Amino acid sequence: MALTTELGRQPQLREVAGIPLQASTVDNWSQIQNFEAKPDDLLICTYPKSGTTWIQEIVDMIEQNGDMEKCQRAIIQHRHPFIEWARPPHPSGVEKARAMPSPRTLRTHLPTQLLPPSFWKNNCKFLYVARNAKDCMVSYYHFQRMNQMLPDPGTWEEYFETFISGKVCWGSWYDHVKGWWEMKDRYQILFLFYEDIKKDPKHEIQKVMQFMGKNLDETILDKIVQETSFEKMKENPMTNRSTVPKSILDQSISPFMRKGTVGDWKSHFTVAQNERFDKIYRKKMEGTSINFCMEL
Ligand code: A3P
């Protein structure tokens, strides 16, 4: 699947077991599949645009006991190696993870069936964040507009079709969320929702803290809530991707920290698209106990 745009953008997606991934990831696939997880690894797992950066900053703040200066030690992309990331000649995500001292916090967008098997074998802890599909689609659309490493999304109407058919990088939202949801009672998975973190950040951050086996006092918790707000993270060069060259992320097209709200889909979906989406959603998510309120 190759896309060429007027801008000359030619990023390639290639499939592994029917899941479209970046070509560089597929080229590095055997290294990724043979990755050796360790029992004390914590893996942050998300479908793209579900609040990965947000939960990463929350986890790091917890790990650093609320010390903001320590969280400023590196840009967020470098703090938690991205397992499937590969862009030779730079060290791959796997190589960065190997070089990292334990206990390690890593991240991935891989669906359960493509996860390196050692994560399951070692019974690692997984922190999954899900975001409602409609807002995810809107966020991913704007991200693909500005991310020169992903295919050009085309018009909103075209992207709507691409997204619902799961032809985006990392595959179908439905399968991803369902896959991780189904694993949640068999492994150590804390399953969170973007919308819950937005509604009651302190409560959700407390859950993360307990899951990580930490016990921080109220003042530190309040500080973490403040420092990980959308407004703060948008201004923070260590989280807002402002250090990434424009040739990769063109923030003049759309900022990485775009809106950070729940329900932005309402300003994008037509009534007809919404009706069609709801119908497909009900069918795809049939039989799961996951309860997303699509009217958010
Ligand atoms: P929008 O495009 O809807 O604004 P990811 O990190 O997985 O790529 O997700 C990016 C999305 O999470 C973007 O959504 C971004 O604005 C939002 N986001 C990042 N930090 C956030 C925060 N502190 N609070 C709320 N949303 C945040």
Side-chain angles (χ1 to χ4, degrees):
M1 192 193 308
L3 276 181
T4 308
T5 70
E6 307 93 45
L7 298 169
R9 236 161 93 171
Q10 292 181 305
Q12 304 255 325
L13 295 184
R14 280 175 34 213
E15 293 190 356
V16 173
I19 307 291
L21 295 170
Q22 283 177 309
S24 52
T25 295
V26 181
D27 288 340
N28 200 36
W29 196 245
S30 69
Q31 187 190 61
I32 296 164
Q33 281 303 289
N34 291 318
F35 176 70
E36 286 176 29
K38 298 178 186 173
D40 57 356
D41 286 342
L42 170 67
L43 184 64
I44 294 175
C45 320
T46 50
Y47 186 78
K49 312 318 290 173
S50 300
T52 325
T53 315
W54 191 11
I55 196 70
Q56 279 183 264
E57 187 71 353
I58 290 172
V59 165
D60 198 33
M61 281 291 278
I62 295 173
E63 275 167 354
Q64 307 306 333
N65 302 315
D67 186 335
M68 193 56 195
E69 265 175 40
K70 287 192 180 155
C71 293
Q72 294 280 309
R73 70 193 180 283
I75 54 172
I76 195 90
Q77 306 92 291
H78 290 175
R79 283 183 253 160
H80 306 133
F82 189 14
I83 291 303
E84 62 267 35
W85 192 89
R87 200 164 296 148
H90 304 287
S92 65
V94 167
E95 286 158 354
K96 285 185 187 167
R98 278 190 200 138
M100 192 180 186
S102 286
R104 308 180 295 187
T105 297
L106 311 167
R107 74 174 164 122
T108 187
H109 287 321
L110 290 172
T112 54
Q113 71 275 24
L114 295 187
L115 197 71
S118 61
F119 281 106
W120 306 119
K121 278 194 209 117
N122 281 289
N123 194 28
C124 297
K125 280 189 183 173
F126 304 98
L127 186 45
Y128 190 87
V129 181
R131 184 182 194 184
N132 83 81
K134 292 178 188 174
D135 282 339
C136 243
M137 186 196 297
V138 169
S139 182
Y140 212 166
Y141 168 66
H142 291 292
F143 186 61
Q144 283 196 222
R145 288 174 54 231
M146 59 88 85
N147 187 339
Q148 309 301 309
M149 298 294 126
L150 289 173
D152 188 290
T155 63
W156 166 250
E157 289 70 25
E158 285 164 349
Y159 191 71
F160 184 90
E161 301 302 326
T162 314
F163 186 94
I164 59 175
S165 59
K167 295 288 179 206
V168 292
C169 197
W170 288 282
S172 147
W173 178 96
Y174 314 97
D175 294 344
H176 203 281
V177 174
K178 265 196 302 192
W180 279 98
W181 179 256
E182 280 158 15
M183 287 294 189
K184 107 184 140 43
D185 300 324
R186 295 170 45 198
Y187 293 93
Q188 300 192 81
I189 300 178
L190 178 66
F191 202 101
L192 300 175
F193 295 90
Y194 177 100
E195 294 72 19
D196 290 342
I197 314 176
K198 197 78 201 166
K199 201 165 155 195
D200 191 349
K202 192 167 174 179
H203 184 257
E204 298 306 298
I205 292 172
Q206 224 151 3
K207 280 203 235 169
V208 177
M209 183 186 80
Q210 278 157 10
F211 184 67
M212 290 169 63
K214 297 278 278 192
N215 188 13
L216 304 175
D217 69 35
E218 198 79 9
T219 333
I220 297 181
L221 263 182
D222 288 335
K223 187 176 170 198
I224 298 177
V225 172
Q226 276 170 23
E227 296 294 345
T228 59
S229 71
F230 178 77
E231 291 70 25
K232 285 275 184 150
M233 285 182 59
K234 190 177 170 70
E235 296 310 316
N236 179 350
M238 296 296 147
T239 54
N240 65 15
R241 302 291 205 274
S242 56
T243 58
V244 179
K246 196 175 175 182
S247 56
I248 298 178
L249 296 183
D250 188 345
Q251 303 219 32
S252 68
I253 297 177
S254 179
F256 180 81
M257 292 285 169
R258 199 182 56 90
K259 286 198 177 171
T261 55
V262 175
D264 190 34
W265 64 268
K266 289 175 194 162
S267 60
H268 288 72
F269 280 56
T270 63
V271 172
Q273 280 175 334
N274 193 36
E275 283 172 3
R276 196 162 147 237
F277 187 95
D278 283 348
K279 214 181 264 179
I280 295 167
Y281 181 89
R282 272 193 294 274
K283 205 164 162 206
K284 296 264 193 195
M285 300 304 277
E286 207 171 36
T288 55
S289 54
I290 194 163
N291 190 14
F292 262 113
C293 175
M294 297 314 288
E295 297 311 319
L296 285 162

